[in-house]
Amino acid sequence: MKKVINIGEACTGLQCHNGLAQKIALRLVEPGLTHTDFTFTQLDEESNRFANMLVSLGVKPQEKVFIFLPKQAEVFFAFLGALKAQAIVCILFSNFGKEAVFERMIDAGASVLVTKQSLFNKLKDNLADVPSLAKVILTDLPEAQNESVLSYSQLAQASSSQFSIPETFEETPSVLHYTSGSTGKPKGVLHVHSSLPYQIQTMDEVFQLDPDDVYWCTADQAWVTGVTYGIIGPWAKGLTQIHYTGKFDAVDWFNLLEQEKVTIWYTAPTALRMLIQDETRILDKYALPALKRVYSVGEPLNPEIIHWVRRVVKREIYDTWFQTETGAIMISNRPGLEVHPGSMGKPLQGIEANVLAEDYSVLGPDLAGSLCLKKGWPSMYRTYLNMEEQYKSKFHGEYYNTGDQAKKDADGYFWFIGRNDDVINTSGHLVGPFEVESVLLEMEEIVDVAIIGAPDEMLFEKIVAFVKLKEGLTWSKGLEVQARIRVTRQVSPIAVPSEFVVVDRIPKNRSGKIMRRVLKAQYTGQDVGDISTMED
Ligand code: AMP
């Protein structure tokens, strides 16, 4: 098998070797816009320390290291250090509820969890549910509590800042991401170290960077964008990255763009729509002379946003399309390619995308079908962990089916239409209806439930819950609050339905499957279509 550079090394040691040892790699900006800087040398040494910690704890290559933290320096150190030690590393969204965290750690067989005390408190009573979990490392614990609950700083102090990386091969597993499906549990998408050259290619082709660019990707590190374009890509290119630890606020974000002289800004349509709403607080107040270009990902970029960015920010904005499974951008707009507002652009070099009919024949221009990619691109995921059959079912002949509906026009531009499964895209985050339904069904007042995504002006899709109540009960504010808390605590605040609709029955087909399209049509006032397969 061919040897390749380890991703952790490419992002740190290699950059030092290339003369960037003293360059700022990470500028962590706090609310109020104070910041802490880390050079490539510090990133290298701190990630080496983490790799040494893992080795000293007996963690072997391919064991799973989970990081459950808000944005803070240790997320980056631990992520890169775990890769150096050839562990498989998975970052979890710090707002995830308990069930969501356990489900993923159990599925993967996590060996190590890096977190902080307040988050650990939510989990600690049920640790026995993850029998594989040998060590928990807390970033804000001064000293080890016992043999299993350890202090990050104590371990780091005892660890060398030098680490000898084991030989890394093309197929050495690297990053694990969980993505929601329309049925069943979230799927663990596994990537390998040889994804790197293509990820770098996309940095060059799409972002077209200069060495002194200041780059800000607003995605959380729990999602593929936050990893490929908020850790790996920019550091493998030797860039200074901004990471902001605060929440979204229009004025704070524009202050940050201005103060930090961000040149390349990678964000998402929901954030931009929120900025549009706040236009009066920012309009004409910021010139942002350093800013060169804006990029977007995660949801369709409506032409209105493009026009707004052009008018208010006075820059071009480029849409990019990819998904957890693809590991890097597949289709995008970019400088040098004329932007057709509403289109997500054209495939990148080496990527063959097509729109296929149900029988997998290639459709002609402007016909809607499944967006498929010729398999074998270098950053392609290698499996769904413990779900080989589901993985195989995504491939048909030479094609990978993305699960999106799209069309391609006569000029080769791709236009996103929607998903062809029931996964909901709310503010750029995928939510599986099944996960939310399972939690709501645990409420004794609810006898049946169905979750759908409905169009929303701000979030692209909002989550709507249809609930059938126990006989004699009526829906109340109290029940709604309970339902919301349940979903927040067990799944995530992102997955909380914005609306609850009480119904007498949930439409199902004869094999008992929820007919979400019927509910969706009813909700949006459209024709419900063919319902001949519906149960009587
Ligand atoms: P995830 O795997 O969570 O990153 O979500 C990937 C999905 O988000 C894609 O399959 C699309 O449905 C959606 N998506 C990502 N980027 C875009 C985009 N530029 N336009 C429309 N939908 C997008």
Side-chain angles (χ1 to χ4, degrees):
M1 221 195 292
K2 212 174 120 198
K3 268 190 357 191
V4 292
I5 184 159
N6 183 290
I7 291 178
E9 172 66 5
C11 292
T12 59
L14 179 68
Q15 302 307 323
C16 298
H17 182 77
N18 288 347
L20 302 182
Q22 296 315 317
K23 180 172 175 175
I24 295 170
L26 168 63
R27 171 161 288 187
L28 209 53
V29 180
E30 312 277 343
L33 303 193
T34 52
H35 66 247
T36 316
D37 287 341
F38 300 89
T39 60
F40 276 104
T41 300
Q42 286 172 303
L43 209 56
D44 189 33
E45 291 182 351
E46 293 305 325
S47 54
N48 284 344
R49 281 204 172 90
F50 188 80
N52 280 316
M53 282 187 216
L54 292 183
V55 172
S56 71
L57 296 174
V59 177
K60 301 272 176 305
Q62 301 201 22
E63 285 192 42
K64 280 77 172 192
V65 172
F66 275 65
I67 301 170
F68 180 44
L69 283 172
K71 226 177 259 250
Q72 60 183 64
E74 288 85 352
V75 170
F76 303 97
F77 303 157
F79 177 85
L80 296 168
L83 289 177
K84 287 180 172 179
Q86 288 193 3
I88 295 173
V89 60
C90 180
I91 306 181
L92 295 177
F93 186 43
S94 62
N95 278 337
F96 267 163
K98 187 172 166 181
E99 200 133 302
V101 173
F102 275 109
E103 197 165 47
R104 287 158 175 80
M105 288 206 297
I106 292 168
D107 180 62
S111 298
V112 174
L113 171 67
V114 185
T115 186
K116 58 190 254 191
Q117 294 190 60
S118 56
L119 296 177
F120 183 54
N121 286 341
K122 298 203 264 188
L123 311 174
K124 63 179 184 210
D125 293 340
N126 300 79
L127 285 189
D129 293 352
V130 196
S132 57
L133 190 67
K135 306 286 175 198
V136 177
I137 303 175
L138 298 178
T139 57
D140 53 354
L141 188 69
E143 276 177 25
Q145 237 166 45
N146 53 45
E147 281 198 349
S148 333
V149 180
L150 307 171
S151 148
Y152 189 108
S153 52
Q154 205 177 23
L155 287 169
Q157 254 172 26
S159 302
S160 162
S161 62
Q162 303 299 312
F163 181 74
S164 164
I165 298 176
E167 283 189 335
T168 305
F169 298 95
E170 276 177 320
E171 294 301 309
T172 303
S174 55
V175 179
L176 178 68
H177 294 288
Y178 275 86
T179 184
S180 296
S182 30
T183 54
K185 294 189 302 189
K187 296 171 290 202
V189 177
L190 186 65
H191 288 280
V192 292
H193 280 266
S194 57
S195 64
L196 182 66
Y198 179 72
Q199 290 168 326
I200 293 177
Q201 178 200 313
T202 64
M203 289 300 296
D204 291 335
E205 204 177 340
V206 178
F207 298 101
Q208 305 186 11
L209 303 149
D210 293 320
D212 55 358
D213 270 324
V214 176
Y215 172 98
W216 182 29
C217 169
T218 61
D220 192 275
Q221 273 52 62
W223 321 119
V224 67
T225 303
V227 164
T228 302
Y229 297 104
I231 303 181
I232 299 173
W235 282 334
K237 288 293 299 173
L239 287 182
T240 298
Q241 290 200 65
I242 303 292
H243 279 292
Y244 180 53
T245 63
K247 292 202 168 54
F248 174 84
D249 176 86
V251 168
D252 290 350
W253 275 33
F254 269 74
N255 277 333
L256 187 153
L257 286 166
E258 188 172 71
Q259 176 183 302
E260 298 303 334
K261 301 186 175 55
V262 172
T263 59
I264 304 288
W265 180 29
Y266 195 16
T267 190
T270 293
L272 291 164
R273 279 191 288 270
M274 286 157 80
L275 289 173
I276 292 175
Q277 280 221 324
D278 244 336
E279 177 175 324
T280 46
R281 289 209 295 156
I282 48 182
L283 193 65
D284 299 331
K285 295 195 182 83
Y286 299 87
L288 307 180
L291 187 66
K292 295 179 185 167
R293 291 181 292 282
V294 185
Y295 291 85
S296 166
V297 69
E299 315 150 51
L301 183 67
N302 350 39
E304 301 78 61
I305 304 181
I306 298 183
H307 298 313
W308 183 83
V309 172
R310 286 175 177 171
R311 181 171 59 83
V312 175
V313 188
K314 300 187 180 62
R315 298 292 182 281
E316 187 57 285
I317 175 162
Y318 300 92
D319 191 13
T320 65
W321 179 95
F322 74 115
Q323 52 182 199
T324 308
E325 287 88 341
T326 71
I329 298 168
M330 299 280 110
I331 298 175
S332 86
N333 286 297
R334 49 205 182 258
L337 182 71
E338 193 189 334
V339 174
H340 294 180
S343 157
M344 42 197 201
K346 291 188 178 183
L348 303 199
Q349 257 177 46
I351 301 302
E352 216 179 308
N354 263 312
V355 175
L356 303 186
E358 269 179 28
D359 64 358
Y360 282 86
S361 57
V362 177
L363 287 169
D366 299 326
L367 293 173
S370 295
L371 176 61
C372 294
L373 304 166
K374 267 262 176 79
K375 70 182 179 194
W377 69 91
S379 64
M380 189 177 98
Y381 73 131
R382 294 305 198 256
T383 194
Y384 289 130
L385 214 61
N386 311 320
M387 293 183 188
E388 193 58 23
E389 281 312 308
Q390 290 213 35
Y391 175 70
K392 285 191 190 140
S393 73
K394 294 286 288 184
F395 296 89
H396 294 266
E398 54 186 354
Y399 279 107
Y400 162 76
N401 190 339
T402 66
D404 281 2
Q405 287 275 315
K407 56 189 183 178
K408 178 178 168 181
D409 67 20
D411 299 323
Y413 281 82
F414 282 78
W415 300 74
F416 178 83
I417 297 173
R419 304 242 347 152
N420 55 20
D421 57 18
D422 295 319
V423 175
I424 302 161
N425 184 337
T426 185
S427 62
H429 299 119
L430 299 193
V431 174
F434 177 81
E435 287 171 80
V436 185
E437 284 159 4
S438 312
V439 168
L440 291 178
L441 273 176
E442 284 171 12
M443 291 176 66
E444 59 177 46
E445 295 86 351
I446 294 177
V447 291
D448 209 354
V449 60
I451 297 291
I452 63 155
D456 184 76
E457 282 194 356
M458 182 61 72
L459 306 172
F460 178 52
E461 286 190 309
K462 64 179 173 186
I463 299 173
V464 180
F466 292 84
V467 289
K468 180 178 169 192
L469 293 173
K470 219 177 191 172
E471 218 163 292
L473 287 186
T474 47
W475 191 246
S476 62
K477 232 1 302 118
L479 269 183
E480 182 164 331
V481 170
Q482 272 187 46
R484 284 169 180 276
I485 291 175
R486 232 170 228 273
V487 179
T488 306
R489 288 209 180 131
Q490 295 190 45
V491 189
S492 131
I494 294 167
V496 173
S498 34
E499 218 175 305
F500 290 84
V501 182
V502 178
V503 289
D504 294 336
R505 74 197 275 252
I506 302 288
K508 301 209 174 139
N509 68 12
R510 291 198 191 101
S511 46
K513 196 167 174 268
I514 297 170
M515 295 186 81
R516 291 182 220 280
R517 80 178 161 78
V518 171
L519 285 168
K520 213 165 180 166
Q522 280 170 354
Y523 183 83
T524 53
Q526 284 165 349
D527 181 10
V528 292
D530 178 11
I531 49 169
S532 58
T533 60
M534 206 152 114
E535 62 179 7
D536 304 317

